[in-house]
Amino acid sequence: MLKVENLKVRYGHREAVHSVSLTVADGEIVTLVGSNGAGKTTTLKAISGLLRASGGTITFNGERIDHLAPHQIIERGLVHVPEGRKLFADMTVLEHLELGALRGRSGSTGFNERLRWVYELFPILAERRTQKAGTMSGGQQQLVAIARGLMANPKCLMLDEPTLGLAPIIVDQLADTIKQLHGSGITILLVEQRVDLALRLADRAYVLETGRVVMEDAAHTLAADPRVKSAYLGL
Ligand SMILES: Nc1ncnc2c1ncn2[C@@H]1O[C@H](COP(=O)(O)OP(=O)(O)OP(=O)(O)O)[C@@H](O)[C@H]1O
Ligand SMILES: [Mg+2]
């Protein structure tokens, strides 16, 4: 479904991502893990068109997308839920969901149907539909960010650090949410610093260090790897 080959991304003269290659097959959960500054967010931003690649190719369902604008990439069903949620504090839940639907992939379902689906997935958002995002808890804000992405009717959802700053019990709920989304047929590329959680959720994983993929394998294989255990799992 998604194929990234030899991706390079620069900030000015400094290259932050060097020749990253990864694939995500239809129906998979793939995770991209690595420590601070490894280049995870930069990679996702390049895939979603927010940053231009300075080298390499990005293909989505057989089509090159590395020269498309972000809204064109969303229209094709590849949707990015950004790190830090990026909500508008003064806008309500419903207004965020309307925004998410603006540039979505046209599919078999209309706005109202999708809204019903999102409210079924996240009943708390139905209750809070008129509440301003800035007044919600971190966990609720993350649900708003994911729900906004879902309103675009994604085939593939890229989640950047969805559990950042959340209490452990909320993290567990969010993990269930990700499984549920996957169960509803959405392919997922998950960026996570909680490597244990990411490897439990994912089918396959890539480990990124200073802008390069240093390991890739089935998630359970990586979880048992002594190097991963000592560097990322604190074991
Ligand atoms: N806007 C920017 N301008 C210049 N350099 C940047 C910018 N954003 C990130 N970088 C640099 O690019 C590298 C990769 O950063 P990136 O944000 O992709 O890492 P990350 O793996 O997402 O880290 P984190 O876990 O902290 O979110 C880092 O060295 C970072 O300092
Ligand atoms: Mg990041």
Side-chain angles (χ1 to χ4, degrees):
M1 170 173 270
L2 177 66
K3 188 169 189 185
V4 175
E5 284 180 297
N6 300 318
L7 177 71
K8 295 176 196 290
V9 190
R10 286 197 184 115
Y11 294 106
H13 291 299
R14 195 170 150 266
E15 196 173 87
V17 167
H18 325 286
S19 279
V20 164
S21 297
L22 60 89
T23 60
V24 183
D26 207 345
E28 272 191 314
I29 301 184
V30 172
T31 187
L32 188 57
V33 298
S35 33
N36 280 316
K40 306 179 298 294
T41 296
T42 304
T43 300
L44 290 199
K45 283 183 170 172
I47 295 171
S48 60
L50 298 170
L51 289 172
R52 274 282 157 254
S54 53
T57 59
I58 305 168
T59 311
F60 186 61
N61 289 325
E63 180 192 11
R64 283 277 296 268
I65 58 166
D66 41 275
H67 297 291
L68 298 181
H71 73 268
Q72 295 174 306
I73 293 171
I74 294 170
E75 281 163 9
R76 283 157 176 74
L78 181 55
V79 174
H80 180 182
V81 179
E83 184 176 11
R85 340 221 198 278
K86 304 284 190 288
L87 302 180
F88 299 95
D90 286 334
M91 278 174 47
T92 65
V93 169
L94 179 58
E95 284 165 345
H96 280 94
L97 300 182
E98 287 167 348
L99 260 191
L102 270 184
R103 290 292 197 172
R105 173 169 68 99
S106 51
S108 48
T109 59
F111 175 83
N112 286 324
E113 208 173 325
R114 246 178 278 162
L115 190 64
R116 252 198 316 277
W117 173 59
V118 162
Y119 283 159
E120 262 170 46
L121 276 173
F122 308 129
I124 184 78
L125 299 187
E127 284 167 33
R128 305 287 178 93
R129 66 187 84 193
T130 59
Q131 186 170 339
K132 288 185 175 171
T135 66
M136 302 176 87
S137 71
Q140 290 166 354
Q141 290 191 18
Q142 185 60 54
L143 293 184
V144 175
I146 293 173
R148 176 180 56 187
L150 292 177
M151 289 302 290
N153 199 19
K155 290 185 207 155
C156 179
L157 197 62
M158 300 194 289
L159 299 167
D160 194 352
E161 307 273 7
T163 71
L164 197 69
L166 302 183
I169 181 161
I170 310 294
V171 170
D172 290 343
Q173 289 169 5
L174 207 59
D176 290 339
T177 300
I178 292 169
K179 283 187 218 158
Q180 204 180 348
L181 294 177
H182 179 244
S184 76
I186 299 173
T187 299
I188 291 176
L189 177 55
L190 172 68
V191 162
E192 254 302 327
Q193 269 196 51
R194 286 179 206 250
V195 177
D196 56 333
L197 174 83
L199 293 180
R200 259 187 283 129
L201 285 172
D203 301 302
R204 287 189 307 110
Y206 294 83
V207 179
L208 211 58
E209 274 175 19
T210 56
R212 290 175 208 286
V213 172
V214 293
M215 298 175 88
E216 60 177 286
D217 216 323
H220 63 86
T221 306
L222 282 183
D225 188 292
R227 288 165 295 173
V228 173
K229 282 184 168 178
S230 73
Y232 298 102
L233 299 176
L235 298 172

